[in-house]
Amino acid sequence: MIRLPRFQYLAPATLKEASALLRDEGPDAMLLAGGTDLLPNMKRRHQLPATLVSLRRLAELKKVANGSGLALGAGLTLSEVTKVAAVKEKFRGLYQAAMQVATPHLRNMGTLGGNLCLDTRCTYYNQNYEWRKAIDFCMKIEGTVCWVATASKRCLAVSSTDTAPALISLGAKVRLVSAEGEREVALESLYRNDGIDYLSRKPGEILAEVVLPQSDGWTSTYWKLRRRGSFDFPILGVAAAVKTARDGTVEDARLVLGAVSSHPLVIQVKGLLVGRKADDEIIEAVGNLAESRAKPMDNTDMDLRWRKRVVADFVGYAFRELRGDDMSAVRMRTARQSL
Ligand SMILES: Cc1cc2nc3c(=O)[nH]c(=O)nc-3n(C[C@H](O)[C@H](O)[C@H](O)COP(=O)(O)OP(=O)(O)OC[C@H]3O[C@@H](n4cnc5c(N)ncnc54)[C@H](O)[C@@H]3O)c2cc1C
Ligand code: SF4
């Protein structure tokens, strides 16, 4: 059994108190939400915070507000997110992404905020301390070299959150709160293409809320590739959303890939889709474009060339589903559940 390192545990009751504690404890403090990623990481000595500021008691992070759009508190567990009627009915891509994170137990503990701030992953990093010590560590922590690409000047660890691509494709913003004030930013801009410094969140900021715009006319979907249908981190996530006119003409479109880069990868597809009906030829072109942009590295499960090749297939499944094709048989084959 691997033991947790020693740490101080603080459990504030309000967002204001939590922000003040985070400021006062400084860079040695980290936020703890469900702990499903952070606590295993601490056991493996990836992160060694002297203090954990828990968000579990913060009722402010549990709110759901359904008005002109939909606001979801970052402290909602993923199970709670999937039970919000508006998520299931209007933001299908988010529902499908949250439903495919880990296992029911982990979704009952893991939060939306924790999922969005999830550490990047890599075969050479997600190992215990002794394993990493045997290879003299790597650039992400304690070492100097990137074993995935030894000439690389930056860490190429993979963004592995399922909900971030889905939420970006839905045009989500996030509210970040600190002792100094608060700001709202597009979720897309929270991420950096850097396996170490993967968030633009400032050290004292707490992700308090996710804000979704009105879904009028939009439909969305999320397709996930992983080895086991029961649970596994994504080795490809495809989040697609389209706004379609009554006659089927695409008015707006978004496509975001997960797990092929250190950040959720936004692919500009408007030029191919807007003003047209998504016929097979256009969908194939969108798939080919996405495949050409995806740069999976040899640092997660399965062969990287195969992972790149299937991008076009998965993008095709997503857009065919969005134009109304019955994709349930393919969905059952890939996700092993109806979503
Ligand atoms: C076996 C296993 C399988 C998994 N499979 C998947 C998977 O398929 N897909 C997937 O996406 N994830 C997966 N996970 C990872 C994890 O369970 C989820 O991402 C979960 O949603 C993380 O949320 P949490 O509340 O537990 O985060 P925590 O572990 O508490 O925190 C994660 C990180 O986010 C920071 N943080 C948490 N909340 C906030 C906040 N409000 N503001 C700012 N920073 C914050 C923490 O400081 C920490 O750095 C898996 C984990 C395990 C153990
Ligand atoms: S991508 Fe390179 S630097 Fe980053 S965790 Fe993997 S081996 Fe380490």
PDB file of all heavy atoms in Angstrom, residues 100 158-159 161-162 165 222-226 233-239 256-260 290 294 296 300-301 306-315:
ATOM      1  N   GLN A 100     -19.076   9.191 -19.317  1.00  0.00           N
ATOM      2  CA  GLN A 100     -18.002   8.261 -19.694  1.00  0.00           C
ATOM      3  C   GLN A 100     -16.708   8.489 -18.898  1.00  0.00           C
ATOM      4  O   GLN A 100     -15.683   7.869 -19.179  1.00  0.00           O
ATOM      5  CB  GLN A 100     -17.732   8.370 -21.197  1.00  0.00           C
ATOM      6  CG  GLN A 100     -18.908   7.856 -22.025  1.00  0.00           C
ATOM      7  CD  GLN A 100     -18.638   7.925 -23.514  1.00  0.00           C
ATOM      8  OE1 GLN A 100     -18.003   7.048 -24.085  1.00  0.00           O
ATOM      9  NE2 GLN A 100     -19.106   8.968 -24.144  1.00  0.00           N
ATOM     10  N   VAL A 158      -0.491  14.513 -21.941  1.00  0.00           N
ATOM     11  CA  VAL A 158      -1.763  14.618 -22.667  1.00  0.00           C
ATOM     12  C   VAL A 158      -2.910  15.164 -21.800  1.00  0.00           C
ATOM     13  O   VAL A 158      -3.135  14.679 -20.684  1.00  0.00           O
ATOM     14  CB  VAL A 158      -2.185  13.210 -23.150  1.00  0.00           C
ATOM     15  CG1 VAL A 158      -3.403  13.301 -24.069  1.00  0.00           C
ATOM     16  CG2 VAL A 158      -1.054  12.518 -23.846  1.00  0.00           C
ATOM     17  N   SER A 159      -3.627  16.111 -22.335  1.00  0.00           N
ATOM     18  CA  SER A 159      -4.856  16.566 -21.699  1.00  0.00           C
ATOM     19  C   SER A 159      -5.859  15.412 -21.752  1.00  0.00           C
ATOM     20  O   SER A 159      -6.208  14.945 -22.834  1.00  0.00           O
ATOM     21  CB  SER A 159      -5.418  17.776 -22.456  1.00  0.00           C
ATOM     22  OG  SER A 159      -6.710  18.068 -21.978  1.00  0.00           O
ATOM     23  N   THR A 161      -8.917  15.181 -19.840  1.00  0.00           N
ATOM     24  CA  THR A 161     -10.249  15.449 -19.299  1.00  0.00           C
ATOM     25  C   THR A 161     -11.317  15.213 -20.370  1.00  0.00           C
ATOM     26  O   THR A 161     -11.162  15.648 -21.508  1.00  0.00           O
ATOM     27  CB  THR A 161     -10.349  16.902 -18.755  1.00  0.00           C
ATOM     28  OG1 THR A 161     -11.694  17.383 -18.929  1.00  0.00           O
ATOM     29  CG2 THR A 161      -9.418  17.870 -19.473  1.00  0.00           C
ATOM     30  N   ASP A 162     -12.374  14.532 -19.994  1.00  0.00           N
ATOM     31  CA  ASP A 162     -13.460  14.294 -20.953  1.00  0.00           C
ATOM     32  C   ASP A 162     -14.395  15.490 -21.080  1.00  0.00           C
ATOM     33  O   ASP A 162     -14.898  15.770 -22.167  1.00  0.00           O
ATOM     34  CB  ASP A 162     -14.291  13.074 -20.517  1.00  0.00           C
ATOM     35  CG  ASP A 162     -13.628  11.756 -20.895  1.00  0.00           C
ATOM     36  OD1 ASP A 162     -13.386  11.539 -22.096  1.00  0.00           O
ATOM     37  OD2 ASP A 162     -13.339  10.950 -19.993  1.00  0.00           O
ATOM     38  N   PRO A 165     -13.308  19.156 -23.556  1.00  0.00           N
ATOM     39  CA  PRO A 165     -13.633  19.309 -24.985  1.00  0.00           C
ATOM     40  C   PRO A 165     -15.133  19.512 -25.209  1.00  0.00           C
ATOM     41  O   PRO A 165     -15.542  20.358 -26.010  1.00  0.00           O
ATOM     42  CB  PRO A 165     -13.165  17.974 -25.609  1.00  0.00           C
ATOM     43  CG  PRO A 165     -12.216  17.389 -24.630  1.00  0.00           C
ATOM     44  CD  PRO A 165     -12.608  17.890 -23.268  1.00  0.00           C
ATOM     45  N   TYR A 222     -20.585  13.727 -27.906  1.00  0.00           N
ATOM     46  CA  TYR A 222     -19.209  13.422 -27.492  1.00  0.00           C
ATOM     47  C   TYR A 222     -18.945  11.942 -27.741  1.00  0.00           C
ATOM     48  O   TYR A 222     -19.709  11.081 -27.306  1.00  0.00           O
ATOM     49  CB  TYR A 222     -19.016  13.743 -26.006  1.00  0.00           C
ATOM     50  CG  TYR A 222     -17.599  13.485 -25.521  1.00  0.00           C
ATOM     51  CD1 TYR A 222     -16.560  14.352 -25.855  1.00  0.00           C
ATOM     52  CD2 TYR A 222     -17.301  12.371 -24.747  1.00  0.00           C
ATOM     53  CE1 TYR A 222     -15.263  14.115 -25.428  1.00  0.00           C
ATOM     54  CE2 TYR A 222     -16.005  12.125 -24.305  1.00  0.00           C
ATOM     55  CZ  TYR A 222     -14.990  13.008 -24.646  1.00  0.00           C
ATOM     56  OH  TYR A 222     -13.705  12.776 -24.225  1.00  0.00           O
ATOM     57  N   TRP A 223     -17.866  11.677 -28.457  1.00  0.00           N
ATOM     58  CA  TRP A 223     -17.447  10.297 -28.736  1.00  0.00           C
ATOM     59  C   TRP A 223     -16.080  10.076 -28.110  1.00  0.00           C
ATOM     60  O   TRP A 223     -15.180  10.910 -28.263  1.00  0.00           O
ATOM     61  CB  TRP A 223     -17.381  10.055 -30.247  1.00  0.00           C
ATOM     62  CG  TRP A 223     -18.744   9.924 -30.853  1.00  0.00           C
ATOM     63  CD1 TRP A 223     -19.644  10.922 -31.065  1.00  0.00           C
ATOM     64  CD2 TRP A 223     -19.374   8.712 -31.290  1.00  0.00           C
ATOM     65  NE1 TRP A 223     -20.798  10.421 -31.616  1.00  0.00           N
ATOM     66  CE2 TRP A 223     -20.657   9.075 -31.773  1.00  0.00           C
ATOM     67  CE3 TRP A 223     -18.995   7.375 -31.346  1.00  0.00           C
ATOM     68  CZ2 TRP A 223     -21.552   8.132 -32.291  1.00  0.00           C
ATOM     69  CZ3 TRP A 223     -19.874   6.437 -31.861  1.00  0.00           C
ATOM     70  CH2 TRP A 223     -21.143   6.815 -32.331  1.00  0.00           C
ATOM     71  N   LYS A 224     -15.957   8.940 -27.437  1.00  0.00           N
ATOM     72  CA  LYS A 224     -14.711   8.681 -26.691  1.00  0.00           C
ATOM     73  C   LYS A 224     -14.107   7.353 -27.129  1.00  0.00           C
ATOM     74  O   LYS A 224     -14.808   6.345 -27.220  1.00  0.00           O
ATOM     75  CB  LYS A 224     -15.049   8.638 -25.198  1.00  0.00           C
ATOM     76  CG  LYS A 224     -13.888   8.219 -24.303  1.00  0.00           C
ATOM     77  CD  LYS A 224     -14.244   8.449 -22.835  1.00  0.00           C
ATOM     78  CE  LYS A 224     -13.147   7.937 -21.916  1.00  0.00           C
ATOM     79  NZ  LYS A 224     -13.358   8.308 -20.508  1.00  0.00           N
ATOM     80  N   LEU A 225     -12.809   7.381 -27.367  1.00  0.00           N
ATOM     81  CA  LEU A 225     -12.079   6.143 -27.666  1.00  0.00           C
ATOM     82  C   LEU A 225     -11.235   5.778 -26.456  1.00  0.00           C
ATOM     83  O   LEU A 225     -10.505   6.625 -25.909  1.00  0.00           O
ATOM     84  CB  LEU A 225     -11.178   6.358 -28.882  1.00  0.00           C
ATOM     85  CG  LEU A 225     -10.243   5.187 -29.251  1.00  0.00           C
ATOM     86  CD1 LEU A 225     -11.022   3.951 -29.681  1.00  0.00           C
ATOM     87  CD2 LEU A 225      -9.288   5.608 -30.373  1.00  0.00           C
ATOM     88  N   ARG A 226     -11.345   4.536 -26.022  1.00  0.00           N
ATOM     89  CA  ARG A 226     -10.555   4.044 -24.893  1.00  0.00           C
ATOM     90  C   ARG A 226     -10.475   2.534 -25.044  1.00  0.00           C
ATOM     91  O   ARG A 226     -11.240   1.933 -25.784  1.00  0.00           O
ATOM     92  CB  ARG A 226     -11.209   4.419 -23.568  1.00  0.00           C
ATOM     93  CG  ARG A 226     -12.663   3.983 -23.467  1.00  0.00           C
ATOM     94  CD  ARG A 226     -13.311   4.422 -22.171  1.00  0.00           C
ATOM     95  NE  ARG A 226     -14.766   4.299 -22.254  1.00  0.00           N
ATOM     96  CZ  ARG A 226     -15.587   4.593 -21.266  1.00  0.00           C
ATOM     97  NH1 ARG A 226     -15.120   5.028 -20.125  1.00  0.00           N
ATOM     98  NH2 ARG A 226     -16.890   4.465 -21.396  1.00  0.00           N
ATOM     99  N   PHE A 233      -9.207   6.273 -19.185  1.00  0.00           N
ATOM    100  CA  PHE A 233      -9.019   7.638 -19.661  1.00  0.00           C
ATOM    101  C   PHE A 233      -9.156   7.633 -21.186  1.00  0.00           C
ATOM    102  O   PHE A 233      -8.878   6.621 -21.842  1.00  0.00           O
ATOM    103  CB  PHE A 233      -7.626   8.136 -19.281  1.00  0.00           C
ATOM    104  CG  PHE A 233      -7.520   8.588 -17.854  1.00  0.00           C
ATOM    105  CD1 PHE A 233      -7.118   7.707 -16.862  1.00  0.00           C
ATOM    106  CD2 PHE A 233      -7.840   9.886 -17.504  1.00  0.00           C
ATOM    107  CE1 PHE A 233      -7.029   8.118 -15.536  1.00  0.00           C
ATOM    108  CE2 PHE A 233      -7.758  10.308 -16.182  1.00  0.00           C
ATOM    109  CZ  PHE A 233      -7.351   9.421 -15.197  1.00  0.00           C
ATOM    110  N   PRO A 234      -9.554   8.779 -21.772  1.00  0.00           N
ATOM    111  CA  PRO A 234      -9.679   8.820 -23.235  1.00  0.00           C
ATOM    112  C   PRO A 234      -8.307   8.733 -23.914  1.00  0.00           C
ATOM    113  O   PRO A 234      -7.330   9.274 -23.390  1.00  0.00           O
ATOM    114  CB  PRO A 234     -10.309  10.191 -23.491  1.00  0.00           C
ATOM    115  CG  PRO A 234      -9.917  11.023 -22.315  1.00  0.00           C
ATOM    116  CD  PRO A 234      -9.824  10.082 -21.137  1.00  0.00           C
ATOM    117  N   ILE A 235      -8.257   8.045 -25.045  1.00  0.00           N
ATOM    118  CA  ILE A 235      -7.077   8.177 -25.894  1.00  0.00           C
ATOM    119  C   ILE A 235      -7.463   9.004 -27.135  1.00  0.00           C
ATOM    120  O   ILE A 235      -6.638   9.360 -27.938  1.00  0.00           O
ATOM    121  CB  ILE A 235      -6.436   6.818 -26.260  1.00  0.00           C
ATOM    122  CG1 ILE A 235      -7.470   5.833 -26.778  1.00  0.00           C
ATOM    123  CG2 ILE A 235      -5.712   6.255 -25.061  1.00  0.00           C
ATOM    124  CD1 ILE A 235      -6.864   4.503 -27.201  1.00  0.00           C
ATOM    125  N   LEU A 236      -8.741   9.294 -27.221  1.00  0.00           N
ATOM    126  CA  LEU A 236      -9.266  10.281 -28.169  1.00  0.00           C
ATOM    127  C   LEU A 236     -10.648  10.701 -27.678  1.00  0.00           C
ATOM    128  O   LEU A 236     -11.446   9.850 -27.287  1.00  0.00           O
ATOM    129  CB  LEU A 236      -9.399   9.664 -29.583  1.00  0.00           C
ATOM    130  CG  LEU A 236     -10.159  10.520 -30.601  1.00  0.00           C
ATOM    131  CD1 LEU A 236      -9.402  11.802 -30.920  1.00  0.00           C
ATOM    132  CD2 LEU A 236     -10.420   9.746 -31.888  1.00  0.00           C
ATOM    133  N   GLY A 237     -10.898  11.982 -27.657  1.00  0.00           N
ATOM    134  CA  GLY A 237     -12.243  12.479 -27.378  1.00  0.00           C
ATOM    135  C   GLY A 237     -12.652  13.374 -28.529  1.00  0.00           C
ATOM    136  O   GLY A 237     -11.849  14.195 -28.995  1.00  0.00           O
ATOM    137  N   VAL A 238     -13.867  13.193 -29.009  1.00  0.00           N
ATOM    138  CA  VAL A 238     -14.355  14.053 -30.094  1.00  0.00           C
ATOM    139  C   VAL A 238     -15.632  14.736 -29.628  1.00  0.00           C
ATOM    140  O   VAL A 238     -16.639  14.082 -29.378  1.00  0.00           O
ATOM    141  CB  VAL A 238     -14.627  13.241 -31.383  1.00  0.00           C
ATOM    142  CG1 VAL A 238     -15.317  14.119 -32.434  1.00  0.00           C
ATOM    143  CG2 VAL A 238     -13.337  12.663 -31.946  1.00  0.00           C
ATOM    144  N   ALA A 239     -15.555  16.058 -29.465  1.00  0.00           N
ATOM    145  CA  ALA A 239     -16.732  16.831 -29.057  1.00  0.00           C
ATOM    146  C   ALA A 239     -17.141  17.697 -30.231  1.00  0.00           C
ATOM    147  O   ALA A 239     -16.346  18.500 -30.727  1.00  0.00           O
ATOM    148  CB  ALA A 239     -16.394  17.699 -27.852  1.00  0.00           C
ATOM    149  N   VAL A 256     -13.929  19.954 -31.183  1.00  0.00           N
ATOM    150  CA  VAL A 256     -12.808  19.980 -30.240  1.00  0.00           C
ATOM    151  C   VAL A 256     -12.358  18.550 -29.988  1.00  0.00           C
ATOM    152  O   VAL A 256     -13.181  17.670 -29.712  1.00  0.00           O
ATOM    153  CB  VAL A 256     -13.220  20.640 -28.896  1.00  0.00           C
ATOM    154  CG1 VAL A 256     -12.002  20.827 -27.996  1.00  0.00           C
ATOM    155  CG2 VAL A 256     -13.917  21.977 -29.118  1.00  0.00           C
ATOM    156  N   LEU A 257     -11.046  18.338 -30.100  1.00  0.00           N
ATOM    157  CA  LEU A 257     -10.511  16.997 -29.844  1.00  0.00           C
ATOM    158  C   LEU A 257      -9.846  16.956 -28.475  1.00  0.00           C
ATOM    159  O   LEU A 257      -9.128  17.884 -28.089  1.00  0.00           O
ATOM    160  CB  LEU A 257      -9.467  16.624 -30.904  1.00  0.00           C
ATOM    161  CG  LEU A 257      -9.895  16.666 -32.372  1.00  0.00           C
ATOM    162  CD1 LEU A 257      -8.736  16.187 -33.262  1.00  0.00           C
ATOM    163  CD2 LEU A 257     -11.124  15.797 -32.616  1.00  0.00           C
ATOM    164  N   GLY A 258     -10.052  15.862 -27.766  1.00  0.00           N
ATOM    165  CA  GLY A 258      -9.377  15.646 -26.495  1.00  0.00           C
ATOM    166  C   GLY A 258      -8.346  14.540 -26.641  1.00  0.00           C
ATOM    167  O   GLY A 258      -8.415  13.714 -27.563  1.00  0.00           O
ATOM    168  N   ALA A 259      -7.355  14.540 -25.749  1.00  0.00           N
ATOM    169  CA  ALA A 259      -6.368  13.462 -25.631  1.00  0.00           C
ATOM    170  C   ALA A 259      -5.424  13.311 -26.837  1.00  0.00           C
ATOM    171  O   ALA A 259      -4.831  12.245 -27.015  1.00  0.00           O
ATOM    172  CB  ALA A 259      -7.058  12.125 -25.332  1.00  0.00           C
ATOM    173  N   VAL A 260      -5.299  14.356 -27.650  1.00  0.00           N
ATOM    174  CA  VAL A 260      -4.337  14.291 -28.759  1.00  0.00           C
ATOM    175  C   VAL A 260      -3.315  15.418 -28.657  1.00  0.00           C
ATOM    176  O   VAL A 260      -2.574  15.684 -29.606  1.00  0.00           O
ATOM    177  CB  VAL A 260      -5.025  14.346 -30.150  1.00  0.00           C
ATOM    178  CG1 VAL A 260      -5.800  13.078 -30.424  1.00  0.00           C
ATOM    179  CG2 VAL A 260      -5.907  15.575 -30.284  1.00  0.00           C
ATOM    180  N   ALA A 290      -9.462  17.136 -39.306  1.00  0.00           N
ATOM    181  CA  ALA A 290      -9.189  16.865 -37.888  1.00  0.00           C
ATOM    182  C   ALA A 290      -8.018  15.883 -37.743  1.00  0.00           C
ATOM    183  O   ALA A 290      -7.130  16.070 -36.898  1.00  0.00           O
ATOM    184  CB  ALA A 290     -10.438  16.306 -37.212  1.00  0.00           C
ATOM    185  N   ALA A 294      -4.511  16.507 -35.623  1.00  0.00           N
ATOM    186  CA  ALA A 294      -4.253  15.754 -34.387  1.00  0.00           C
ATOM    187  C   ALA A 294      -2.815  15.239 -34.370  1.00  0.00           C
ATOM    188  O   ALA A 294      -2.347  14.697 -35.368  1.00  0.00           O
ATOM    189  CB  ALA A 294      -5.230  14.583 -34.280  1.00  0.00           C
ATOM    190  N   PRO A 296      -1.202  12.946 -31.896  1.00  0.00           N
ATOM    191  CA  PRO A 296      -1.029  12.092 -30.717  1.00  0.00           C
ATOM    192  C   PRO A 296       0.433  11.677 -30.572  1.00  0.00           C
ATOM    193  O   PRO A 296       1.125  11.506 -31.575  1.00  0.00           O
ATOM    194  CB  PRO A 296      -1.923  10.881 -31.008  1.00  0.00           C
ATOM    195  CG  PRO A 296      -2.163  10.893 -32.474  1.00  0.00           C
ATOM    196  CD  PRO A 296      -2.016  12.301 -32.935  1.00  0.00           C
ATOM    197  N   THR A 300       0.581   7.467 -24.348  1.00  0.00           N
ATOM    198  CA  THR A 300      -0.625   6.932 -23.728  1.00  0.00           C
ATOM    199  C   THR A 300      -0.938   5.590 -24.381  1.00  0.00           C
ATOM    200  O   THR A 300      -0.119   5.069 -25.123  1.00  0.00           O
ATOM    201  CB  THR A 300      -1.784   7.964 -23.812  1.00  0.00           C
ATOM    202  OG1 THR A 300      -2.898   7.441 -23.102  1.00  0.00           O
ATOM    203  CG2 THR A 300      -2.183   8.290 -25.234  1.00  0.00           C
ATOM    204  N   ASP A 301      -2.102   5.028 -24.069  1.00  0.00           N
ATOM    205  CA  ASP A 301      -2.416   3.672 -24.513  1.00  0.00           C
ATOM    206  C   ASP A 301      -2.544   3.583 -26.047  1.00  0.00           C
ATOM    207  O   ASP A 301      -2.881   4.559 -26.698  1.00  0.00           O
ATOM    208  CB  ASP A 301      -3.758   3.286 -23.853  1.00  0.00           C
ATOM    209  CG  ASP A 301      -3.995   1.793 -23.870  1.00  0.00           C
ATOM    210  OD1 ASP A 301      -3.067   1.044 -24.214  1.00  0.00           O
ATOM    211  OD2 ASP A 301      -5.124   1.384 -23.534  1.00  0.00           O
ATOM    212  N   TRP A 306      -2.210   4.442 -35.221  1.00  0.00           N
ATOM    213  CA  TRP A 306      -3.608   4.006 -35.276  1.00  0.00           C
ATOM    214  C   TRP A 306      -4.507   5.057 -34.624  1.00  0.00           C
ATOM    215  O   TRP A 306      -5.572   5.392 -35.138  1.00  0.00           O
ATOM    216  CB  TRP A 306      -3.760   2.654 -34.553  1.00  0.00           C
ATOM    217  CG  TRP A 306      -5.169   2.148 -34.588  1.00  0.00           C
ATOM    218  CD1 TRP A 306      -5.802   1.559 -35.639  1.00  0.00           C
ATOM    219  CD2 TRP A 306      -6.133   2.229 -33.522  1.00  0.00           C
ATOM    220  NE1 TRP A 306      -7.104   1.260 -35.305  1.00  0.00           N
ATOM    221  CE2 TRP A 306      -7.332   1.654 -34.014  1.00  0.00           C
ATOM    222  CE3 TRP A 306      -6.100   2.712 -32.222  1.00  0.00           C
ATOM    223  CZ2 TRP A 306      -8.485   1.564 -33.228  1.00  0.00           C
ATOM    224  CZ3 TRP A 306      -7.250   2.619 -31.445  1.00  0.00           C
ATOM    225  CH2 TRP A 306      -8.427   2.046 -31.948  1.00  0.00           C
ATOM    226  N   ARG A 307      -4.042   5.642 -33.502  1.00  0.00           N
ATOM    227  CA  ARG A 307      -4.840   6.668 -32.825  1.00  0.00           C
ATOM    228  C   ARG A 307      -5.065   7.874 -33.725  1.00  0.00           C
ATOM    229  O   ARG A 307      -6.113   8.500 -33.715  1.00  0.00           O
ATOM    230  CB  ARG A 307      -4.162   7.085 -31.521  1.00  0.00           C
ATOM    231  CG  ARG A 307      -4.524   6.169 -30.371  1.00  0.00           C
ATOM    232  CD  ARG A 307      -3.632   6.311 -29.166  1.00  0.00           C
ATOM    233  NE  ARG A 307      -3.226   7.644 -28.891  1.00  0.00           N
ATOM    234  CZ  ARG A 307      -1.990   7.988 -28.517  1.00  0.00           C
ATOM    235  NH1 ARG A 307      -1.055   7.065 -28.374  1.00  0.00           N
ATOM    236  NH2 ARG A 307      -1.693   9.222 -28.274  1.00  0.00           N
ATOM    237  N   LYS A 308      -4.060   8.203 -34.519  1.00  0.00           N
ATOM    238  CA  LYS A 308      -4.219   9.334 -35.447  1.00  0.00           C
ATOM    239  C   LYS A 308      -5.198   8.967 -36.575  1.00  0.00           C
ATOM    240  O   LYS A 308      -6.061   9.762 -36.934  1.00  0.00           O
ATOM    241  CB  LYS A 308      -2.849   9.730 -36.020  1.00  0.00           C
ATOM    242  CG  LYS A 308      -2.899  10.974 -36.902  1.00  0.00           C
ATOM    243  CD  LYS A 308      -1.497  11.435 -37.236  1.00  0.00           C
ATOM    244  CE  LYS A 308      -1.475  12.502 -38.307  1.00  0.00           C
ATOM    245  NZ  LYS A 308      -2.055  13.773 -37.909  1.00  0.00           N
ATOM    246  N   ARG A 309      -5.055   7.727 -37.063  1.00  0.00           N
ATOM    247  CA  ARG A 309      -5.880   7.314 -38.205  1.00  0.00           C
ATOM    248  C   ARG A 309      -7.379   7.303 -37.860  1.00  0.00           C
ATOM    249  O   ARG A 309      -8.215   7.638 -38.684  1.00  0.00           O
ATOM    250  CB  ARG A 309      -5.426   5.935 -38.686  1.00  0.00           C
ATOM    251  CG  ARG A 309      -5.503   5.799 -40.181  1.00  0.00           C
ATOM    252  CD  ARG A 309      -4.883   4.533 -40.705  1.00  0.00           C
ATOM    253  NE  ARG A 309      -5.407   3.336 -40.074  1.00  0.00           N
ATOM    254  CZ  ARG A 309      -4.657   2.364 -39.561  1.00  0.00           C
ATOM    255  NH1 ARG A 309      -3.343   2.467 -39.590  1.00  0.00           N
ATOM    256  NH2 ARG A 309      -5.200   1.292 -39.033  1.00  0.00           N
ATOM    257  N   VAL A 310      -7.706   6.896 -36.609  1.00  0.00           N
ATOM    258  CA  VAL A 310      -9.135   6.777 -36.293  1.00  0.00           C
ATOM    259  C   VAL A 310      -9.800   8.117 -35.956  1.00  0.00           C
ATOM    260  O   VAL A 310     -11.013   8.154 -35.753  1.00  0.00           O
ATOM    261  CB  VAL A 310      -9.394   5.765 -35.141  1.00  0.00           C
ATOM    262  CG1 VAL A 310      -9.054   4.356 -35.582  1.00  0.00           C
ATOM    263  CG2 VAL A 310      -8.667   6.150 -33.876  1.00  0.00           C
ATOM    264  N   VAL A 311      -9.007   9.188 -35.915  1.00  0.00           N
ATOM    265  CA  VAL A 311      -9.612  10.505 -35.645  1.00  0.00           C
ATOM    266  C   VAL A 311     -10.701  10.789 -36.688  1.00  0.00           C
ATOM    267  O   VAL A 311     -11.825  11.189 -36.350  1.00  0.00           O
ATOM    268  CB  VAL A 311      -8.543  11.626 -35.650  1.00  0.00           C
ATOM    269  CG1 VAL A 311      -9.202  13.002 -35.641  1.00  0.00           C
ATOM    270  CG2 VAL A 311      -7.606  11.486 -34.448  1.00  0.00           C
ATOM    271  N   ALA A 312     -10.382  10.565 -37.967  1.00  0.00           N
ATOM    272  CA  ALA A 312     -11.354  10.859 -39.033  1.00  0.00           C
ATOM    273  C   ALA A 312     -12.618  10.012 -38.857  1.00  0.00           C
ATOM    274  O   ALA A 312     -13.735  10.501 -39.054  1.00  0.00           O
ATOM    275  CB  ALA A 312     -10.726  10.603 -40.399  1.00  0.00           C
ATOM    276  N   ASP A 313     -12.454   8.737 -38.456  1.00  0.00           N
ATOM    277  CA  ASP A 313     -13.624   7.866 -38.247  1.00  0.00           C
ATOM    278  C   ASP A 313     -14.519   8.420 -37.138  1.00  0.00           C
ATOM    279  O   ASP A 313     -15.735   8.538 -37.299  1.00  0.00           O
ATOM    280  CB  ASP A 313     -13.180   6.450 -37.847  1.00  0.00           C
ATOM    281  CG  ASP A 313     -12.403   5.765 -38.956  1.00  0.00           C
ATOM    282  OD1 ASP A 313     -12.598   6.146 -40.118  1.00  0.00           O
ATOM    283  OD2 ASP A 313     -11.589   4.869 -38.657  1.00  0.00           O
ATOM    284  N   PHE A 314     -13.889   8.773 -35.998  1.00  0.00           N
ATOM    285  CA  PHE A 314     -14.680   9.231 -34.856  1.00  0.00           C
ATOM    286  C   PHE A 314     -15.342  10.588 -35.132  1.00  0.00           C
ATOM    287  O   PHE A 314     -16.470  10.833 -34.713  1.00  0.00           O
ATOM    288  CB  PHE A 314     -13.822   9.263 -33.574  1.00  0.00           C
ATOM    289  CG  PHE A 314     -13.839   7.938 -32.858  1.00  0.00           C
ATOM    290  CD1 PHE A 314     -13.248   6.817 -33.420  1.00  0.00           C
ATOM    291  CD2 PHE A 314     -14.477   7.798 -31.635  1.00  0.00           C
ATOM    292  CE1 PHE A 314     -13.292   5.588 -32.785  1.00  0.00           C
ATOM    293  CE2 PHE A 314     -14.532   6.570 -30.984  1.00  0.00           C
ATOM    294  CZ  PHE A 314     -13.932   5.464 -31.561  1.00  0.00           C
ATOM    295  N   VAL A 315     -14.632  11.454 -35.838  1.00  0.00           N
ATOM    296  CA  VAL A 315     -15.235  12.745 -36.206  1.00  0.00           C
ATOM    297  C   VAL A 315     -16.431  12.481 -37.137  1.00  0.00           C
ATOM    298  O   VAL A 315     -17.494  13.106 -37.014  1.00  0.00           O
ATOM    299  CB  VAL A 315     -14.184  13.666 -36.865  1.00  0.00           C
ATOM    300  CG1 VAL A 315     -14.844  14.886 -37.513  1.00  0.00           C
ATOM    301  CG2 VAL A 315     -13.159  14.110 -35.822  1.00  0.00           C
TER     302      VAL A 315
END
